[in-house]
Amino acid sequence: MSIATEFQLLPEVQAFLDRESIPAFVGGRELKSPSGETIATIDPGSGQTLSHIHELDAASVDHAVDVANEAFPAWSALSHDERSKILLKLADAVESHKPIIAQIEALDAGKIEAQAQGDVQNFVDTLRYFVKLNGSVELRTKRDVPGFDAWTYKQPWGACAFIFPWNFPFLLIGWGITPALAAGNTVVIKPAEDTSLSALYLAALAKEVGVPDGVINVVTGRGATVGSALTQNADIKRMSFTGSPEVGRIVGETCGRNLVPVKLELGGKGAAVVFDDVDVEDTAEKLVGAITFHSGQVCCDATRWLIHEDIYDEFVGHCIDRMKNIRIGHPLDPNSQMGPVVNPKQCERVLGYEKKGQAEGAECIFGGGPASVSGYTGNYVNPALLAGTLDNVAAREEIFGPVAYLVKFSTEAEAIEMANNTDYGLANSVWTKDDKRAARVAEAMTAGNSWINAHNVFAQGVPYGGVNKSGLGGGVLSAETLMDYYRSTSVVRPL
Ligand code: NAD
């Protein structure tokens, strides 16, 4: 499909999008929708149709799981070195195709192109991390128990299913599938219907570099049909779901009924606690950077900013100065700092929360409302600062847009109580020059992640996951994650 944009598309991207539709990818082959039904995938920055993905049916999803289970014995039987060689080739290929994948992702997800490049590199780094880590896994571990010759033996599970959201399509695939593959599992990926293109590109690339057919499969379509069929399939050996708590609950219930182990990575309503000893301007700049990064469509964002009363006015002033200058534009425009939100529904959601928040008494102290970008009719919104009390709907519920909610505090205890006044528990940050206070507050905030003088910090090797309404089942990115993709058999012989 030809995209009308003033920005040059890479010839490979143009060729990829030139097809009327891009089928799913199962068993090393394209798989079309049996009914012929397709779904348009749209550039959120311009509203133009990029291509169409195929809406599979439940039988096609079951077929994909069968294919993944059939590919499992051969893939898991490879030695670590043999499997690593193939996976490292995939890492190299993704890295060398970074500009192509990033441009596809920028167009499909409305992500600033440079940030999309960072996401692709993150996939590569995560894959290399897990491949290397897997080399140090001891498959057999002796258990010293008097009277028994005993050991545990670790083996991969089989076909693992993954359902992903639309905000970080390629990066999250990396966080999800790479430990599973390194351990010897095969995977069935269900990307979000709005952002399936990079997953489909990956599956074809994997085949090209020699990943055996059936090891990486991508099924496409709507959540209520294809996602649901994957969740209900009792032959998947594990499920990993990343998305909203509402859908996570359905996925968890269904997997529970089938006794399939499930990992849920869900939403958040993170706090940033800013004490009065910080460099106020620098902190304001960093938090505005965090809330406008990918238009605030970041699960772990700091969306509740708890600011010490002595610096509140100065902090707000710096935030406004900074927000005024954010350049909103098409994701392929190198001058853009903030792109669109993913679809018109998300646009309505963000603007709706701004209205509902104000109707409940919050004050809009800066920005808000739709944004216009000359030459484009995309889903653009302005960043916004709301202020008020923490019982406001905009302070309680996940908005998933560039909207921060500010509240004053006076004591450390009050700040901790405010930070913990949420059902979510994904990520918070504390900002202070006092290291002891930073550590104390970081440990007192109830969440999977507490960051100090920074927000949105990820490192391969540090577990990332949520508690309470933000997730369960293990998290991602660490040695523990790799172990989730091994099951253990205790072998015991009485002496
Ligand atoms: P969503 O829950 O609407 O959709 C996520 C995925 O689930 C999509 O692929 C969708 O097609 C599928 N789905 C929808 N209904 C389904 C069903 N009945 N059965 C099975 N699958 C179904 O979420 P979203 O709007 O795509 O993403 C935004 C949410 O994701 C936010 O809450 C955000 O915080 C969360 N998120 C969490 C993390 C994390 O690591 N904790 C990361 C990114 C996003």
Side-chain angles (χ1 to χ4, degrees):
M1 208 140 287
S2 167
I3 313 298
T5 162
E6 61 189 294
F7 309 105
Q8 195 69 43
L9 294 192
L10 295 166
E12 296 89 342
V13 174
Q14 190 64 65
F16 182 68
L17 298 177
D18 268 345
R19 304 175 63 187
E20 185 58 33
S21 70
I22 304 172
F25 202 90
V26 171
R29 274 200 287 273
E30 292 191 337
L31 181 69
K32 292 187 174 166
S33 153
S35 67
E37 191 189 343
T38 59
I39 306 170
T41 189
I42 311 276
D43 164 15
S46 68
Q48 294 183 81
T49 298
L50 296 168
S51 187
H52 293 79
I53 58 159
H54 285 241
E55 166 81 2
L56 298 186
D57 61 4
S60 309
V61 174
D62 291 346
H63 166 67
V65 174
D66 289 346
V67 164
N69 271 321
E70 281 156 22
F72 172 69
W75 179 244
S76 57
L78 294 180
S79 69
H80 167 75
D81 286 350
E82 289 166 328
R83 218 169 31 242
S84 297
K85 215 179 267 175
I86 298 171
L87 290 175
L88 292 176
K89 255 174 106 177
L90 178 61
D92 292 346
V94 170
E95 194 167 44
S96 65
H97 288 70
K98 181 162 56 178
I100 300 167
I101 301 170
Q103 201 168 73
I104 291 170
E105 188 87 325
L107 280 168
D108 204 22
K111 199 174 275 273
I112 298 295
E113 196 172 5
Q115 293 171 7
Q117 295 207 1
D119 288 3
V120 178
Q121 189 58 49
N122 192 293
F123 176 106
V124 172
D125 296 345
T126 306
L127 177 51
R128 289 183 180 143
Y129 165 74
F130 279 116
V131 167
K132 182 165 180 234
L133 189 65
N134 194 57
S136 60
V137 171
E138 257 185 47
L139 295 180
R140 287 181 187 79
T141 311
K142 177 105 182 86
R143 304 286 164 152
D144 285 324
V145 181
F148 297 94
D149 176 20
W151 68 95
T152 50
Y153 179 50
K154 294 187 192 67
Q155 299 167 73
W157 293 84
C160 297
F162 294 84
I163 299 179
F164 293 110
W166 44 258
N167 60 339
F168 286 83
F170 201 73
L171 173 142
L172 290 175
I173 291 176
W175 288 11
I177 70 169
T178 63
L181 292 172
N185 301 277
T186 55
V187 303
V188 180
I189 300 167
K190 149 71 178 92
E193 46 272 48
D194 280 314
T195 57
S196 297
L197 296 185
S198 56
L200 292 167
Y201 192 91
L202 172 73
L205 186 63
K207 179 177 174 77
E208 234 177 271
V209 301
V211 175
D213 293 351
V215 170
I216 300 179
N217 306 282
V218 178
V219 293
T220 53
R222 295 189 176 84
T225 48
V226 172
S228 178
L230 187 56
T231 308
Q232 287 176 47
N233 187 299
D235 293 329
I236 54 171
K237 300 294 182 273
R238 285 192 68 91
M239 165 62 79
S240 164
F241 170 84
T242 311
S244 62
E246 294 73 27
V247 178
R249 201 169 271 139
I250 299 172
V251 171
E253 278 175 16
T254 312
C255 288
R257 274 200 300 277
N258 288 338
L259 300 178
V260 168
V262 64
K263 195 190 260 287
L264 303 176
E265 313 292 341
L266 308 176
K269 193 71 193 175
V273 176
V274 182
F275 283 94
D276 54 354
D277 60 349
V278 295
D279 177 332
V280 180
E281 184 173 2
D282 183 61
T283 307
E285 182 182 333
K286 287 184 173 139
L287 283 174
V288 169
I291 195 69
T292 53
F293 175 64
H294 197 29
S295 307
Q297 303 167 115
V298 180
C299 51
C300 51
D301 238 335
T303 50
R304 297 174 299 145
W305 294 358
L306 313 178
I307 313 299
H308 193 278
E309 58 190 0
D310 290 351
I311 55 162
Y312 183 85
D313 291 341
E314 186 190 350
F315 179 83
V316 168
H318 286 303
C319 290
I320 292 174
D321 286 349
R322 191 76 199 162
M323 269 194 179
K324 265 191 215 151
N325 293 315
I326 296 282
R327 291 189 301 274
I328 303 171
H330 191 275
L332 295 191
D333 181 343
N335 293 313
S336 300
Q337 292 173 318
M338 192 177 101
V341 296
V342 72
N343 56 33
K345 192 171 149 216
Q346 189 60 23
C347 200
E348 270 171 38
R349 178 186 168 101
V350 174
L351 302 181
Y353 269 111
E354 288 173 7
K355 282 198 192 123
K356 280 190 281 180
Q358 289 175 82
E360 284 190 13
E363 183 194 355
C364 181
I365 52 180
F366 179 77
S372 62
V373 171
S374 169
Y376 292 97
T377 50
N379 317 310
Y380 296 99
V381 298
N382 287 311
L385 296 175
L386 300 181
T389 53
L390 274 181
D391 56 356
N392 188 285
V393 65
R396 290 194 327 268
E397 297 181 9
E398 188 180 34
I399 300 175
F400 228 50
V403 183
Y405 195 97
L406 283 88
V407 188
K408 284 182 204 172
F409 73 87
S410 54
T411 66
E412 182 179 316
E414 188 192 8
I416 292 168
E417 198 202 316
M418 285 174 158
N420 290 341
N421 182 6
T422 174
D423 294 337
Y424 288 104
L426 188 51
N428 299 304
S429 55
V430 51
W431 302 72
T432 174
K433 286 186 180 140
D434 178 340
D435 290 347
K436 283 202 175 125
R437 176 162 64 186
R440 204 166 52 232
V441 174
E443 291 182 1
M445 292 190 290
T446 308
N449 310 277
S450 271
W451 295 311
I452 296 175
N453 296 334
H455 206 95
N456 296 339
V457 188
F458 310 101
Q460 286 87 9
V462 180
Y464 171 79
V467 299
N468 296 341
K469 212 171 150 190
S470 292
L472 58 86
V476 293
L477 275 186
S478 71
E480 290 91 328
T481 319
L482 181 60
M483 289 308 118
D484 289 340
Y485 289 98
Y486 283 106
R487 63 182 174 82
S488 179
T489 303
S490 294
V491 184
V492 190
R493 182 165 61 96
L495 293 174

